[in-house]
Amino acid sequence: MTVERVTLDARAMFPAQVQVRNGGRWDTPRAFPGDASGSCQAAVDAEAMARKYPDRRVRVLTYRGWDEIWHLTLAQAEAVYDAMIALNDVSGRVQATIPIGDGADLRVFEKESGEVHVVLVAEHIAQKWRVYDDQHAFAVAHGLEDK
């Protein structure tokens, strides 16, 4: 009753998956977002599946393809931050979409509370989400604090 762990350099809508061997194929009864809680839940569910099906192979399949592309580049962060500063003068808030290929994009938006959200969206579903307390926290995280 062991759980295999497999990591692929590819992209998937739900990058943490629990799979059970069913004859000649792998079935995926559970899939989770690629964040820490999704990965933990996949591990817990895989252990439960291994106990439920002791005669079958069970694995957690992780795709890491989104990880390296869902961060804003310095140029992208700088452009978004400049827009935030400009919109401050007219009481506006930024909402930007940055295409990153393969049908995915990064969306950056400010909430009325001042929080800045960066979201990776693929196939119309939010895959990863990062929240900054305010514009200053966004600037510091992207190396723009001296701007």
Side-chain angles (χ1 to χ4, degrees):
M1 188 177 74
T2 61
V3 174
E4 299 172 41
R5 296 196 185 333
V6 178
T7 302
L8 299 176
D9 286 323
R11 296 178 186 161
M13 187 172 358
F14 294 100
Q17 300 177 6
V18 176
Q19 296 188 324
V20 178
R21 190 73 174 178
N22 187 6
R25 71 176 194 274
W26 287 98
D27 288 338
T28 306
R30 301 293 308 266
F32 303 93
D35 60 7
S37 67
S39 296
C40 287
Q41 189 61 51
V44 168
D45 281 19
E47 294 294 333
M49 290 276 184
R51 284 191 299 278
K52 184 176 181 178
Y53 303 108
D55 58 326
R56 297 186 187 173
R57 290 173 57 198
V58 176
R59 71 182 183 183
V60 173
L61 183 60
T62 304
Y63 294 86
R64 63 175 163 217
W66 292 120
D67 291 338
E68 69 274 357
I69 64 164
W70 93 279
H71 303 283
L72 292 169
T73 66
L74 180 59
Q76 292 166 338
E78 193 167 24
V80 169
Y81 186 68
D82 288 347
M84 286 181 200
I85 300 307
L87 287 167
N88 285 345
D89 293 338
V90 293
S91 300
R93 293 189 303 271
V94 76
Q95 185 169 9
T97 300
I98 302 167
I100 57 174
D102 290 338
D105 53 53
L106 293 172
R107 297 188 186 167
V108 183
F109 60 92
E110 290 179 277
K111 303 282 276 188
E112 193 171 335
S113 65
E115 289 179 339
V116 178
H117 294 242
V118 178
V119 184
L120 168 68
V121 177
E123 300 179 31
H124 307 290
I125 297 173
Q127 302 291 326
K128 293 188 177 251
W129 202 293
R130 183 171 288 135
V131 179
Y132 301 95
D133 289 338
D134 53 28
Q135 291 177 351
H136 178 72
F138 175 87
V140 168
H142 292 90
L144 304 171
E145 61 271 11
D146 295 330
K147 206 163 167 20

